[in-house]
Amino acid sequence: MKLTRPARRASLVVHVTASAGWLGLTLGLLALGITATTTGSAVTVEASVRTMKLFADWLLLPLALLTLLSGLLLSLGTQWGLARHRWVWTKFWLTLATTTATVFALRPGVNSAVAAVTAGGPLPDAGDVLFGPIVSLSAYVFMTVISVLKPWGPTRRGRRLRATSSGRTKIPTPVA
C-alpha cells in the first residue's frame, strides 16, 4: 500500500523533525554528561544529571518511538520498502537498537547517577552519563549519512521484486 503524496510528505516531515530532535537531544545529553564528569562543583554535577534525567524521562523515549514509527510508516508506504534496500533495513535495525538501548541502558544509567548524586555522593561512574550519548550520537550520524547517500543497493528481496515488476521474471526449470 502506497501513501498518497500529502500523507508521504507529512510523514517525511514528522520523521525528519523527530529524528533531528532526537539527534539534538542526544547532543544536549552529551554536553550535560561532559559537564557532569569534568566539573569540580557538586552543585553543577547534580544540576547536570537531574537535567539529563528530565530529558531522558520526558523527551527521549517519545522522540525515539516517533522516529521509529514514522520511519516504519515511510518505508512501508513508499517505493523504498522496509526490506528492499540495505540502507533502509540498516536504519530500521539501528533505530530499533538505539531505542531499546535508551530504555534498558541510558535511562537506568542516568537514574543511578541521579540517585547517587542526590544522596550526597559523587558521580559513581562517568560511563553512566557519557557512554549512552556517545554511542547514540555515533549511530544517528551514521544513519543520517546513509539516508543522504543511500549506499549498498537493493537487498536480495529488492532485486527479486524489481525483476518481477519489470517483467523479467525467470520461471525455474524443473529438474528431471
mmCIF file of all heavy atoms in Angstrom, residues 17-41:
data_model
loop_
_atom_site.group_PDB
_atom_site.id
_atom_site.type_symbol
_atom_site.label_atom_id
_atom_site.label_comp_id
_atom_site.label_asym_id
_atom_site.label_seq_id
_atom_site.Cartn_x
_atom_site.Cartn_y
_atom_site.Cartn_z
ATOM 1 N N THR A 17 11.749 15.706 11.439
ATOM 2 C CA THR A 17 11.680 16.554 12.633
ATOM 3 C C THR A 17 11.973 15.740 13.895
ATOM 4 O O THR A 17 12.763 16.175 14.755
ATOM 5 C CB THR A 17 10.300 17.228 12.742
ATOM 6 O OG1 THR A 17 10.064 17.981 11.548
ATOM 7 C CG2 THR A 17 10.213 18.135 13.954
ATOM 8 N N ALA A 18 11.360 14.574 14.022
ATOM 9 C CA ALA A 18 11.607 13.724 15.193
ATOM 10 C C ALA A 18 13.060 13.256 15.232
ATOM 11 O O ALA A 18 13.689 13.255 16.300
ATOM 12 C CB ALA A 18 10.662 12.525 15.181
ATOM 13 N N SER A 19 13.604 12.885 14.078
ATOM 14 C CA SER A 19 14.999 12.436 14.021
ATOM 15 C C SER A 19 15.962 13.557 14.397
ATOM 16 O O SER A 19 16.918 13.340 15.148
ATOM 17 C CB SER A 19 15.339 11.933 12.616
ATOM 18 O OG SER A 19 14.528 10.837 12.266
ATOM 19 N N ALA A 20 15.710 14.751 13.874
ATOM 20 C CA ALA A 20 16.559 15.897 14.208
ATOM 21 C C ALA A 20 16.434 16.237 15.694
ATOM 22 O O ALA A 20 17.432 16.575 16.347
ATOM 23 C CB ALA A 20 16.188 17.100 13.348
ATOM 24 N N GLY A 21 15.224 16.132 16.229
ATOM 25 C CA GLY A 21 15.028 16.371 17.656
ATOM 26 C C GLY A 21 15.776 15.355 18.504
ATOM 27 O O GLY A 21 16.403 15.706 19.521
ATOM 28 N N TRP A 22 15.741 14.094 18.078
ATOM 29 C CA TRP A 22 16.440 13.023 18.794
ATOM 30 C C TRP A 22 17.949 13.265 18.751
ATOM 31 O O TRP A 22 18.643 13.127 19.763
ATOM 32 C CB TRP A 22 16.074 11.687 18.171
ATOM 33 C CG TRP A 22 16.336 10.470 18.989
ATOM 34 C CD1 TRP A 22 16.704 10.393 20.299
ATOM 35 C CD2 TRP A 22 16.235 9.127 18.537
ATOM 36 N NE1 TRP A 22 16.832 9.080 20.686
ATOM 37 C CE2 TRP A 22 16.548 8.291 19.621
ATOM 38 C CE3 TRP A 22 15.909 8.543 17.321
ATOM 39 C CZ2 TRP A 22 16.555 6.897 19.519
ATOM 40 C CZ3 TRP A 22 15.904 7.161 17.229
ATOM 41 C CH2 TRP A 22 16.215 6.347 18.319
ATOM 42 N N LEU A 23 18.455 13.662 17.596
ATOM 43 C CA LEU A 23 19.875 13.972 17.447
ATOM 44 C C LEU A 23 20.258 15.156 18.329
ATOM 45 O O LEU A 23 21.260 15.118 19.059
ATOM 46 C CB LEU A 23 20.192 14.262 15.976
ATOM 47 C CG LEU A 23 21.622 14.668 15.640
ATOM 48 C CD1 LEU A 23 22.591 13.536 15.935
ATOM 49 C CD2 LEU A 23 21.715 15.057 14.174
ATOM 50 N N GLY A 24 19.474 16.233 18.301
ATOM 51 C CA GLY A 24 19.759 17.407 19.121
ATOM 52 C C GLY A 24 19.687 17.105 20.607
ATOM 53 O O GLY A 24 20.528 17.583 21.392
ATOM 54 N N LEU A 25 18.707 16.325 20.992
ATOM 55 C CA LEU A 25 18.572 15.948 22.395
ATOM 56 C C LEU A 25 19.785 15.133 22.845
ATOM 57 O O LEU A 25 20.293 15.317 23.953
ATOM 58 C CB LEU A 25 17.278 15.148 22.598
ATOM 59 C CG LEU A 25 16.893 14.776 24.008
ATOM 60 C CD1 LEU A 25 16.763 16.018 24.888
ATOM 61 C CD2 LEU A 25 15.581 14.021 23.990
ATOM 62 N N THR A 26 20.264 14.274 21.977
ATOM 63 C CA THR A 26 21.442 13.471 22.305
ATOM 64 C C THR A 26 22.681 14.351 22.446
ATOM 65 O O THR A 26 23.509 14.125 23.335
ATOM 66 C CB THR A 26 21.656 12.391 21.226
ATOM 67 O OG1 THR A 26 20.485 11.571 21.183
ATOM 68 C CG2 THR A 26 22.845 11.520 21.550
ATOM 69 N N LEU A 27 22.811 15.355 21.589
ATOM 70 C CA LEU A 27 23.917 16.309 21.748
ATOM 71 C C LEU A 27 23.812 17.037 23.090
ATOM 72 O O LEU A 27 24.826 17.247 23.772
ATOM 73 C CB LEU A 27 23.916 17.324 20.604
ATOM 74 C CG LEU A 27 24.475 16.842 19.282
ATOM 75 C CD1 LEU A 27 24.165 17.845 18.169
ATOM 76 C CD2 LEU A 27 25.963 16.596 19.388
ATOM 77 N N GLY A 28 22.609 17.411 23.468
ATOM 78 C CA GLY A 28 22.394 18.043 24.765
ATOM 79 C C GLY A 28 22.762 17.120 25.918
ATOM 80 O O GLY A 28 23.408 17.543 26.891
ATOM 81 N N LEU A 29 22.357 15.850 25.815
ATOM 82 C CA LEU A 29 22.713 14.873 26.850
ATOM 83 C C LEU A 29 24.223 14.694 26.944
ATOM 84 O O LEU A 29 24.781 14.576 28.045
ATOM 85 C CB LEU A 29 22.034 13.527 26.575
ATOM 86 C CG LEU A 29 20.536 13.479 26.825
ATOM 87 C CD1 LEU A 29 19.944 12.197 26.269
ATOM 88 C CD2 LEU A 29 20.238 13.599 28.308
ATOM 89 N N LEU A 30 24.894 14.671 25.793
ATOM 90 C CA LEU A 30 26.348 14.538 25.795
ATOM 91 C C LEU A 30 26.998 15.754 26.452
ATOM 92 O O LEU A 30 27.919 15.613 27.268
ATOM 93 C CB LEU A 30 26.869 14.346 24.364
ATOM 94 C CG LEU A 30 28.376 14.160 24.225
ATOM 95 C CD1 LEU A 30 28.869 12.962 25.038
ATOM 96 C CD2 LEU A 30 28.742 14.007 22.755
ATOM 97 N N ALA A 31 26.513 16.952 26.135
ATOM 98 C CA ALA A 31 27.064 18.165 26.753
ATOM 99 C C ALA A 31 26.859 18.143 28.266
ATOM 100 O O ALA A 31 27.774 18.494 29.034
ATOM 101 C CB ALA A 31 26.415 19.403 26.141
ATOM 102 N N LEU A 32 25.690 17.722 28.704
ATOM 103 C CA LEU A 32 25.429 17.635 30.144
ATOM 104 C C LEU A 32 26.289 16.557 30.799
ATOM 105 O O LEU A 32 26.784 16.737 31.920
ATOM 106 C CB LEU A 32 23.950 17.355 30.394
ATOM 107 C CG LEU A 32 23.001 18.515 30.100
ATOM 108 C CD1 LEU A 32 21.554 18.024 30.036
ATOM 109 C CD2 LEU A 32 23.169 19.616 31.145
ATOM 110 N N GLY A 33 26.468 15.420 30.110
ATOM 111 C CA GLY A 33 27.318 14.349 30.642
ATOM 112 C C GLY A 33 28.767 14.779 30.770
ATOM 113 O O GLY A 33 29.436 14.481 31.767
ATOM 114 N N ILE A 34 29.267 15.503 29.763
ATOM 115 C CA ILE A 34 30.641 16.022 29.832
ATOM 116 C C ILE A 34 30.774 17.008 30.976
ATOM 117 O O ILE A 34 31.752 16.982 31.736
ATOM 118 C CB ILE A 34 31.049 16.647 28.483
ATOM 119 C CG1 ILE A 34 31.209 15.549 27.418
ATOM 120 C CG2 ILE A 34 32.335 17.456 28.620
ATOM 121 C CD1 ILE A 34 31.373 16.070 26.001
ATOM 122 N N THR A 35 29.774 17.862 31.121
ATOM 123 C CA THR A 35 29.786 18.824 32.223
ATOM 124 C C THR A 35 29.812 18.107 33.565
ATOM 125 O O THR A 35 30.593 18.462 34.461
ATOM 126 C CB THR A 35 28.565 19.762 32.139
ATOM 127 O OG1 THR A 35 28.596 20.449 30.890
ATOM 128 C CG2 THR A 35 28.543 20.765 33.285
ATOM 129 N N ALA A 36 28.974 17.090 33.717
ATOM 130 C CA ALA A 36 28.900 16.354 34.990
ATOM 131 C C ALA A 36 30.212 15.647 35.320
ATOM 132 O O ALA A 36 30.586 15.557 36.494
ATOM 133 C CB ALA A 36 27.767 15.345 34.948
ATOM 134 N N THR A 37 30.909 15.162 34.310
ATOM 135 C CA THR A 37 32.132 14.402 34.579
ATOM 136 C C THR A 37 33.384 15.267 34.695
ATOM 137 O O THR A 37 34.395 14.805 35.215
ATOM 138 C CB THR A 37 32.370 13.333 33.489
ATOM 139 O OG1 THR A 37 32.447 13.966 32.213
ATOM 140 C CG2 THR A 37 31.269 12.298 33.496
ATOM 141 N N THR A 38 33.323 16.501 34.213
ATOM 142 C CA THR A 38 34.536 17.327 34.222
ATOM 143 C C THR A 38 34.503 18.465 35.228
ATOM 144 O O THR A 38 35.545 19.065 35.491
ATOM 145 C CB THR A 38 34.794 17.932 32.821
ATOM 146 O OG1 THR A 38 33.682 18.725 32.424
ATOM 147 C CG2 THR A 38 35.056 16.832 31.802
ATOM 148 N N THR A 39 33.366 18.774 35.794
ATOM 149 C CA THR A 39 33.292 19.902 36.725
ATOM 150 C C THR A 39 33.758 19.481 38.115
ATOM 151 O O THR A 39 33.687 18.305 38.475
ATOM 152 C CB THR A 39 31.861 20.474 36.796
ATOM 153 O OG1 THR A 39 31.880 21.649 37.576
ATOM 154 C CG2 THR A 39 30.886 19.479 37.406
ATOM 155 N N GLY A 40 34.195 20.445 38.852
ATOM 156 C CA GLY A 40 34.585 20.179 40.230
ATOM 157 C C GLY A 40 33.495 20.548 41.215
ATOM 158 O O GLY A 40 33.628 20.343 42.414
ATOM 159 N N SER A 41 32.403 21.059 40.717
ATOM 160 C CA SER A 41 31.322 21.541 41.570
ATOM 161 C C SER A 41 30.240 20.483 41.744
ATOM 162 O O SER A 41 29.640 20.020 40.778
ATOM 163 C CB SER A 41 30.717 22.803 40.947
ATOM 164 O OG SER A 41 29.487 23.121 41.544
#
